[in-house]
Amino acid sequence: MALTESVPAAAPPAHQGILRRQSLRESAARTYARSLPIVPVRARGLTIEGADGRRYLDCLSGAGTLALGHNHPVVLEAIRAVLDSGAPLHILDLATPVKDAFTTELFATLPRELAEKGRIQFCGPAGTDAVEAAFTLVRTATGREGLMAFSGAYHGMTAQALAASGGAQHTGVVRLPYPYDYRCPFGTGGERGAELAARWTQSLLDDHKSGVPGPAGMILEPVQGEGGVIPAPDSWLRRMRELTAARRIPLIVDEVQTGVGRTGAFWAIEHSGIVPDVLVLSKAIGGSLPLAVIVYREELDGWQPGAHAGTFRGNQLAMAAGRATLAYVRDNGLDRRAGELGARMLARLTSLAGAHDCIGDVRGRGLMLGVEIVDRDAAADAHGARPADPRLAAAVQHACLDRGLIVELGGRHSAVVRLLPPLTITDEQADAILDRLADAIAAAVRILPGPTGSSPTTMRGISP
Ligand code: PMP
């Protein structure tokens, strides 16, 4: 599809009607649909075509799911092959050739320790269900209850996964500081901030009066996604691995969003070289269809049959689409490509930050990029950080959509513009994304001038 978009003078009534019926019939809890009032009807690669005839560059990619973009030919072919073969589509957790091939392909991508001595549990089809499974697994294996998780984390919306996420309050989960360079809780940032965060964790574990009982496991994301695209330093990840290994605490790494090449390595753990005890995988492993698994060291495999069950653990189409995706990423070195292209995009975002006071920080790893929008009129703290400006970030997101670019907001205050393009994008498409983003930021600043709190002007859809 061409990158240029056609913008009809007025959106057709069918498009308007669908959106109107959605707002009348769907839940108040709906999310993306609020900030992205579009009606996708066709999609290919980076591009979505709406019912209004407009084309959009999709940098949300199904919340990081679409490693190969929309409707990649190898994914469609794999799905068609299963359909044409007459294989059952729904088969609980029984063995099938499709599942066998998926498992073989997945294991071929894993670090040797997990590939050779790992076990896989197929979970209910969402990432959050795999997180629940991981918790049940380590609780059973250790006989302990408590968990350690990190500020700003996101692990899903089921009870235990939510409890381990940053926005929740839960007594069974001890919250630890995650290294966040721009807003370092220790006021130092960099390697030093990460080191202090690691020391805090160590002191909680070793101080018998810390009030923190020995946990059943520690869960972390190598790059926090929903938390605002925050990559953890490799040295800090190694410290977490050492600390947990020395104390026989299972380390659960949640690669639901970072997996399958996204960060510039096939799995984000490869950057630091750590091998967790449990790896939580979903999103891209299903090649755009729902699939979630945990892979873990066999020593942990002491749970009983049915300890983690679920009807929908046998989605054959997802396994076929996932196998095709894993193979395509591996065979075409798309992980390396994501690393190289991501570094170039980050360099361009850095120069964009130099031109706009409202960009407090740009960061990311591979094709998981974030631009933190801040209040340009507020004073910086001692470390140079200024308060987040969610209103301006929403205006940027809106201005992006007006320019045919779909981006998501994340972070503590929904003030981080997130870019999660498919790993298959061309250099030209990457430039088009950044051109539109740069233009959108300039427009949002023009439309929403002055400090946060000044009255909104003509922009549609910005809630106070
Ligand atoms: N873990 C991480 C790191 C995620 O980013 C997400 C989803 N954004 C989840 C878990 C939950 O996945 P799901 O929405 O499929 O339940």
Side-chain angles (χ1 to χ4, degrees):
M1 274 181 199
L3 287 175
T4 50
E5 75 217 60
S6 58
V7 187
H15 160 102
Q16 300 291 8
I18 290 169
L19 288 178
R20 190 172 40 78
R21 284 191 292 282
Q22 178 182 46
S23 71
L24 289 175
R25 297 195 292 216
E26 289 190 24
S27 157
R30 68 192 186 281
T31 52
Y32 304 104
R34 289 180 184 279
S35 49
L36 302 170
I38 61 171
V39 181
V41 288
R42 261 180 299 277
R44 184 82 178 206
L46 175 66
T47 311
I48 287 181
E49 191 181 319
D52 57 358
R54 292 191 67 192
R55 286 183 180 160
Y56 301 88
L57 306 184
D58 179 12
C59 277
L60 176 51
S61 296
T65 305
L66 304 167
L68 306 184
H70 292 276
N71 291 326
H72 193 281
V74 298
V75 169
L76 297 184
E77 199 184 301
I79 292 171
R80 281 198 192 103
V82 176
L83 292 176
D84 292 346
S85 74
L89 298 180
H90 179 310
I91 204 68
L92 302 170
D93 67 347
L94 304 190
T96 68
V98 173
K99 185 190 207 178
D100 187 53
F102 168 79
T103 307
T104 303
E105 187 66 49
L106 177 66
F107 272 59
T109 67
L110 294 173
R112 186 180 303 168
E113 281 166 81
L114 281 176
E116 285 175 1
K117 291 197 155 197
R119 296 281 174 151
I120 185 168
Q121 163 77 5
F122 286 84
C123 302
T128 195
D129 196 58
V131 170
E132 299 285 333
F135 292 167
T136 304
L137 178 78
V138 297
R139 283 181 167 138
T140 309
T142 61
R144 298 190 290 256
E145 263 302 303
L147 293 162
M148 291 189 142
F150 290 88
S151 50
Y154 185 77
H155 299 294
M157 288 300 278
T158 50
Q160 294 296 316
L162 190 60
S165 299
Q169 292 171 359
H170 195 273
T171 46
V173 180
V174 173
R175 205 74 54 180
L176 302 166
Y178 190 86
Y180 184 176
D181 206 10
Y182 184 64
R183 299 189 189 281
C184 175
F186 303 100
T188 58
E191 290 286 328
R192 175 90 186 126
E195 169 57 22
L196 291 172
R199 277 197 206 181
W200 175 248
T201 297
Q202 181 171 355
S203 76
L204 282 190
L205 287 169
D206 291 346
D207 177 356
H208 295 296
K209 297 282 180 187
S210 68
V212 176
M218 172 190 283
I219 183 164
L220 59 81
E221 296 155 88
V223 180
Q224 284 190 344
E226 308 302 324
V229 195
I230 307 173
D234 293 338
S235 55
W236 179 84
L237 286 165
R238 285 191 284 267
R239 283 292 301 279
M240 292 305 105
R241 179 63 286 190
E242 285 158 19
L243 287 177
T244 48
R247 290 156 187 78
R248 304 183 71 77
I249 299 167
L251 177 65
I252 304 164
V253 173
D254 180 344
E255 287 238 32
V256 166
Q257 193 163 139
T258 51
V260 194
R262 171 66 52 197
T263 69
F266 204 97
W267 304 109
I269 49 172
E270 292 167 24
H271 295 294
S272 60
I274 65 166
V275 179
D277 301 294
V278 187
L279 200 49
V280 183
L281 307 175
S282 188
K283 293 200 196 268
I285 63 160
S288 73
L289 298 178
L291 187 62
V293 302
I294 54 172
V295 181
Y296 54 92
R297 293 180 199 260
E298 64 181 357
E299 305 88 88
L300 294 173
D301 203 29
W303 52 359
Q304 295 300 307
H308 189 83
T311 305
F312 289 109
R313 287 177 292 147
N315 187 335
Q316 300 296 286
L317 296 181
M319 290 174 197
R323 195 201 68 77
T325 300
L326 297 174
Y328 192 88
V329 170
R330 195 188 52 178
D331 295 347
N332 292 280
L334 291 188
D335 44 357
R336 268 198 319 282
R337 163 79 182 158
E340 287 156 15
L341 183 58
R344 285 207 294 280
M345 290 177 76
L346 193 57
R348 233 191 108 185
L349 289 172
T350 305
S351 50
L352 192 64
H356 289 284
D357 291 347
C358 69
I359 300 180
D361 192 28
V362 294
R363 53 183 180 255
R365 200 152 200 182
L367 287 174
M368 195 169 173
L369 298 163
V371 177
E372 184 152 350
I373 304 294
V374 296
D375 183 344
R376 57 201 187 283
D377 297 304
D381 67 14
H383 184 49
R386 274 171 293 137
D389 193 339
R391 218 161 143 261
L392 184 56
V396 171
Q397 184 187 34
H398 197 96
C400 283
L401 196 65
D402 277 347
R403 285 156 183 77
L405 177 66
I406 296 173
V407 295
E408 168 62 334
L409 299 179
R412 314 297 209 262
H413 309 279
S414 292
V416 179
V417 178
R418 303 185 57 204
L419 300 177
L420 289 163
L423 315 184
T424 46
I425 58 167
T426 62
D427 291 351
E428 184 206 17
Q429 287 173 319
D431 285 341
I433 290 166
L434 295 178
D435 288 347
R436 290 181 197 198
L437 177 63
D439 199 37
I441 291 172
V445 168
R446 270 197 314 276
I447 292 167
L448 216 63
T452 302
S454 61
S455 59
T457 54
T458 54
M459 186 159 273
R460 286 172 294 135
I462 298 167
S463 45

